[in-house]
Amino acid sequence: LADRAQLATGGEPAGGSVTFTARQIDLSGAIRFDRSVEKVTFAASGDLRLIGADPYATNFSNNGSAIPPTLRGMLSVHGDLNLTAAQIYPTTGSTFNVVSAGEDATITIGRTGDLPDTPYSAGGNLRIQAANIVQGGVIRVPFGQLTLGGNAVLRATDSPTASIIAPATQSVVLTAEIG
């Protein structure tokens, strides 16, 4: 699936870590790091853009009419996730989920450099959900929707027996700049 990552619950715990460093980072479509990766870091001196991809299939409503596709994407990890950039944002019209399936995992958002101008992006949706979230960076979703954490477990489907993508959020800490 180009627009949704498989669950990050596979793999054997191995304590691995991975770091990506660049001037600008574009995350497009579905990206998954399983249980073998304990810590994932994306560090950009400029923007970190979250780019949705076209769905692989057309959805239809109850009356048989096609539902317009949306650009969707997901970054799915099982351990801790660090996102550091001048600003983080979904591109125009993208719906992007950044999640960690770890029971005690933390997603930390930090900032680098001077505050850049607002991006030319609008109408995006961004959900960040993990057991713990520390927000000390710049997240922008102009004319869109930002969701930090959730009171309920995030599942792959609406079924109560579906696999867990992210646990309910235990804490959200808003702090001065991290970086």
Side-chain angles (χ1 to χ4, degrees):
L1 303 175
D3 59 335
R4 287 184 227 148
Q6 293 186 355
L7 302 177
T9 54
E12 295 297 322
S17 67
V18 62
T19 299
F20 299 92
T21 304
R23 184 176 308 134
Q24 178 172 309
I25 297 175
D26 289 347
L27 300 179
S28 182
I31 302 144
R32 175 184 80 135
F33 295 92
D34 65 17
R35 294 186 313 162
S36 65
V37 181
E38 189 174 287
K39 183 177 182 179
V40 178
T41 299
F42 289 94
S45 58
D47 294 353
L48 192 154
R49 299 187 313 170
L50 306 170
I51 305 168
D54 284 326
Y56 72 97
T58 301
N59 296 317
F60 293 92
S61 67
N62 290 340
N63 65 9
S65 62
I67 298 171
T70 181
L71 301 172
R72 294 186 298 209
M74 176 182 271
L75 171 58
S76 177
V77 302
H78 193 273
D80 293 334
L81 173 63
N82 295 313
L83 303 174
T84 304
Q87 62 184 347
I88 299 169
Y89 60 93
T91 56
T92 297
S94 290
T95 296
F96 214 94
N97 289 306
V98 176
V99 299
S100 177
E103 289 181 22
D104 293 318
T106 299
I107 294 177
T108 303
I109 299 141
R111 178 175 153 208
T112 59
D114 294 329
L115 186 63
D117 292 333
T118 301
Y120 291 111
S121 173
N125 297 295
L126 176 58
R127 176 196 326 230
I128 300 172
Q129 186 162 335
N132 304 289
I133 299 169
V134 178
Q135 180 3 28
V138 176
I139 302 172
R140 290 185 164 155
V141 189
F143 302 107
Q145 180 176 341
L146 170 64
T147 305
L148 278 179
N151 292 331
V153 169
L154 185 60
R155 297 186 180 277
T157 65
D158 291 334
S159 168
T161 60
S163 298
I164 294 174
I165 294 175
T169 302
Q170 300 167 18
S171 71
V172 174
V173 176
L174 304 177
T175 184
E177 298 173 16
I178 299 173

